[in-house]
Amino acid sequence: MSQYPLVTIVDDDDAVRTAIESLVRSLGLRTSTFASADAFLDSGRVKDTDCLITDVQMPGMSGIELQSRLRGQGSTVPVIFVTAFPEERIRRQVMEAGAIGFLSKPFDGGTMIACIDQALSAAN
């Protein structure tokens, strides 16, 4: 991990992506943002990412499929999910697969910060 951790945000909603990016940057962390899971996977940023924040439901590949793909490639990057549709079955599935958090939109900034802190601590 570099001196300044990289938090990658993958969400198809521009406003949500921008809000999370602003929050993360306010913590003094670097960010990269993508509107889709495929764009992230094709970006070359996967290995540089210290924490991934992703939406659950997106056009194309979902956040759940992204987590599965990363795990299948041997990536242990900590993942935080955000969703407008907080289903218990999905929460349980992603948490059992190692997610750090599962936050409902709109989420509390303090809760997101706590998840990011936990994720970056786990990445060390």
Side-chain angles (χ1 to χ4, degrees):
M1 189 162 71
S2 75
Q3 181 180 0
Y4 299 101
L6 176 64
V7 177
T8 297
I9 302 145
V10 180
D11 197 308
D12 60 308
D13 184 318
D14 290 338
V16 171
R17 207 169 50 245
T18 300
I20 296 172
E21 179 182 28
S22 294
L23 175 66
V24 172
R25 285 183 181 229
S26 76
L27 302 173
L29 303 171
R30 297 180 303 138
T31 61
S32 61
T33 63
F34 300 93
S36 72
D38 287 321
F40 170 55
L41 290 172
D42 293 341
S43 72
R45 284 291 199 179
V46 174
K47 291 185 192 260
D48 298 336
T49 296
D50 298 299
C51 174
L52 172 64
I53 301 171
T54 185
D55 192 4
V56 171
Q57 294 183 339
M58 297 180 286
M61 185 184 302
S62 72
I64 298 162
E65 293 166 324
L66 174 59
Q67 180 190 38
S68 179
R69 172 91 52 97
L70 291 170
R71 295 299 180 254
Q73 295 173 350
S75 173
T76 58
V77 65
V79 181
I80 301 167
F81 285 92
V82 294
T83 183
F85 307 99
E87 297 177 31
E88 178 58 26
R89 175 184 58 83
I90 301 295
R91 186 197 68 76
R92 195 170 39 253
Q93 176 184 348
V94 300
M95 297 303 283
E96 286 174 0
I100 296 291
F102 186 81
L103 308 179
S104 300
K105 295 178 187 176
F107 54 83
D108 175 71
T111 303
M112 176 62 82
I113 291 168
C115 286
I116 292 169
D117 286 344
Q118 182 183 352
L120 294 177
S121 293
N124 281 328

